[in-house]
Amino acid sequence: MRALITGITGQDGSYLADMLLEKGYEIIGMVRRSSTESFERINHIKDAITLIQADLLDQLSIVNLIEEFRPAEVYNLAAQSFVPTSWNQPVLTGEFDAIGVTRMLEAIKLVDKKIRFYQASSSEMFGKVQEVPQSETTPFHPRSPYGVAKVYGHWITVNYRESYNIHANSGILFNHESPRRGLEFVTRKITHGVARIKLGLADQLALGNLDAKRDWGFAGDYVRAMWLMLQQDKPGDYVIATGETHSVEDFVKLAFGHVDLDYRQYVVTDPRFVRPAEVDLLQGDASRARKNLKWELTVDFEQLVKMMVDADLERLATAVK
Ligand code: NAP
Ligand code: G4F
């Protein structure tokens, strides 16, 4: 089996590549051209995969890639994935996260409609939530240009499934984290900040809205759900979530507590990190995935927080030695 992963240098792309390699897949990773290569998350598997330059902004590069390698499965994980950037770069975010999906689907339609497709949709599409918990039938109300672009990406995936009979799947994934999470996302910002404070490298952590609530899971569990969707006879849409919700403050408290620190002495709020429109509460209902995909979690919230703090402590302690 050959799989193409866009966004292979990202958090999810790297975990998915790890998992597919273990299953015996041949992996083609799509990377965009950069003056300096940043393959930190896939350095350990670089010799076992094939990296090819192409860009979500460039239709022909995607067609050529799919034509040359003819993958059986395509996982479209590449995106401008940071919500605050989407207010500063709304047009670019739309190009990547909305029209980019159409470019991927057009390439599949042109080359071979039997290629199975996974689209990385997001719980940000629920935004100002219309019900709690959110499931596949909950109406969308996105609150950022990122969320709006992802709604487009979701519906174009559904549309190509219905119009051309493509095995096109939309995974509506709630927040998922890991030691490989980007440093600007709140979980990693917190665990990295805790490690720096514990090691005496910093004395403060500036955050935005501590009241926002998220349904946080472990990325390693979520990439398994992506693969499971593509192994089903019928394509579909699936919410992937833990079903639990916790505030940013809960995360902070647990992360500082894990290294015996009282967060109230270190955390300050900074209006720079407060968003023009917030998603106050996310909590997913993954019943469909549990029933149809037999998908299950292996890491709970507390284990996730501790895993991330421990990983940052170890990384920083080694770096300062
Ligand atoms: P991430 O760590 O930010 O990775 C994003 C990836 O997209 C990187 O490999 C990046 O490449 C690539 N990329 C960006 N623009 C590109 C372009 N124009 N052409 C080619 N590649 C491009 O994101 P993630 O957390 O792994 O998330 C993966 C996907 O799931 C994203 O679509 C995200 O929106 C979605 N999602 C994530 C979550 C979550 O909680 N993590 C939840 C729901 C949905 P560079 O290395 O070159 O920057
Ligand atoms: O970690 P975040 O930046 O993630 P956000 O906005 O929920 O988006 C992530 O999850 C989505 C799935 O729901 C993905 F689609 C998306 O690609 C991305 O992976 O922020 C989480 C919460 C927000 O409510 C934010 O306002 O944390 C709050 N927050 C508080 N202080 C902060 C901060 N967020 C960041 N990034 N930095 C802060 O200092």
Side-chain angles (χ1 to χ4, degrees):
M1 283 289 269
R2 184 180 283 163
L4 168 66
I5 304 176
T6 76
I8 194 162
T9 57
Q11 170 188 259
D12 290 7
S14 66
Y15 278 105
L16 180 65
D18 285 347
M19 189 195 74
L20 295 183
L21 279 176
E22 271 175 32
K23 291 185 185 295
Y25 275 72
E26 180 189 345
I27 308 287
I28 313 298
M30 182 179 118
V31 290
R32 50 180 169 171
R33 195 258 160 196
S34 163
S35 65
T36 49
E37 286 187 346
S38 59
F39 295 157
E40 200 184 310
R41 296 185 179 102
I42 52 169
N43 263 336
H44 61 293
I45 51 169
K46 235 186 107 190
D47 295 337
I49 60 180
T50 306
L51 296 177
I52 303 289
Q53 284 187 3
D55 201 299
L56 281 181
L57 299 184
D58 190 285
Q59 180 73 71
L60 197 57
S61 69
I62 300 169
V63 173
N64 287 341
L65 176 60
I66 294 185
E67 175 69 52
E68 184 180 349
F69 289 95
R70 298 282 182 141
E73 298 175 359
V74 171
Y75 296 87
N76 184 37
L77 311 185
Q80 192 299 93
S81 72
F82 192 48
V83 172
T85 297
S86 78
W87 277 286
N88 300 332
Q89 301 179 3
V91 176
L92 189 64
T93 301
E95 281 288 345
F96 286 175
D97 299 8
I99 306 300
V101 188
T102 311
R103 294 193 187 98
M104 294 300 300
L105 286 162
E106 272 294 287
I108 289 174
K109 187 184 114 201
L110 191 73
V111 175
D112 180 0
K113 293 196 195 70
K114 290 204 172 49
I115 296 172
R116 295 187 172 199
F117 179 75
Y118 173 84
Q119 168 54 20
S121 296
S122 166
S123 51
E124 277 290 302
M125 301 191 302
F126 297 121
K128 191 171 161 58
V129 298
Q130 304 296 296
E131 61 182 354
V132 181
Q134 299 85 47
S135 73
E136 294 81 3
T137 55
T138 303
F140 299 138
H141 186 140
R143 294 275 278 170
S144 64
Y146 170 84
V148 174
K150 284 286 181 182
V151 171
Y152 177 102
H154 167 80
W155 282 116
I156 201 72
T157 302
V158 173
N159 183 262
Y160 273 55
R161 181 201 303 159
E162 293 176 351
S163 306
Y164 306 114
N165 210 17
I166 293 173
H167 197 293
N169 299 268
S170 177
I172 306 173
L173 272 51
F174 282 62
N175 299 51
H176 46 281
E177 319 293 316
S178 74
R180 297 186 200 169
R181 186 57 141 155
L183 277 168
E184 73 264 70
F185 297 92
V186 78
T187 54
R188 184 74 200 291
K189 183 173 169 184
I190 295 166
T191 61
H192 191 253
V194 165
R196 281 173 55 79
I197 291 168
K198 184 69 183 174
L199 295 171
L201 302 170
D203 52 16
Q204 221 178 46
L205 177 62
L207 295 169
N209 177 14
L210 298 184
D211 296 328
K213 291 183 152 185
R214 290 290 180 276
D215 179 328
W216 279 296
F218 170 54
D221 284 337
Y222 287 46
V223 299
R224 201 170 55 254
M226 299 174 186
W227 176 76
L228 284 168
M229 284 177 219
L230 267 54
Q231 311 316 308
Q232 305 306 304
D233 290 340
K234 286 190 183 155
D237 307 324
Y238 287 97
V239 159
I240 303 297
T242 70
E244 278 182 28
T245 192
H246 298 273
S247 67
V248 172
E249 189 164 2
D250 292 338
F251 195 108
V252 166
K253 200 171 173 180
L254 202 54
F256 277 89
H258 183 49
V259 294
D260 300 320
L261 294 176
D262 179 354
Y263 74 99
R264 287 167 298 194
Q265 290 176 19
Y266 304 99
V267 172
V268 294
T269 49
D270 185 331
R272 280 185 305 141
F273 300 116
V274 175
R275 302 175 180 190
E278 179 62 284
V279 172
D280 295 315
L281 163 68
L282 290 175
Q283 184 174 8
D285 172 1
S287 307
R288 182 185 286 177
R290 279 199 304 275
K291 181 166 175 275
N292 296 1
L293 308 179
K294 312 277 178 266
W295 175 76
E296 280 173 14
L297 295 164
T298 65
V299 176
D300 69 18
F301 178 67
E302 205 171 317
Q303 289 169 321
L304 175 68
V305 176
K306 291 178 177 173
M307 175 206 298
M308 291 177 69
V309 172
D310 288 342
D312 274 321
L313 269 175
E314 197 183 318
R315 232 182 317 221
L316 280 174
T318 314
V320 295
K321 256 187 202 159

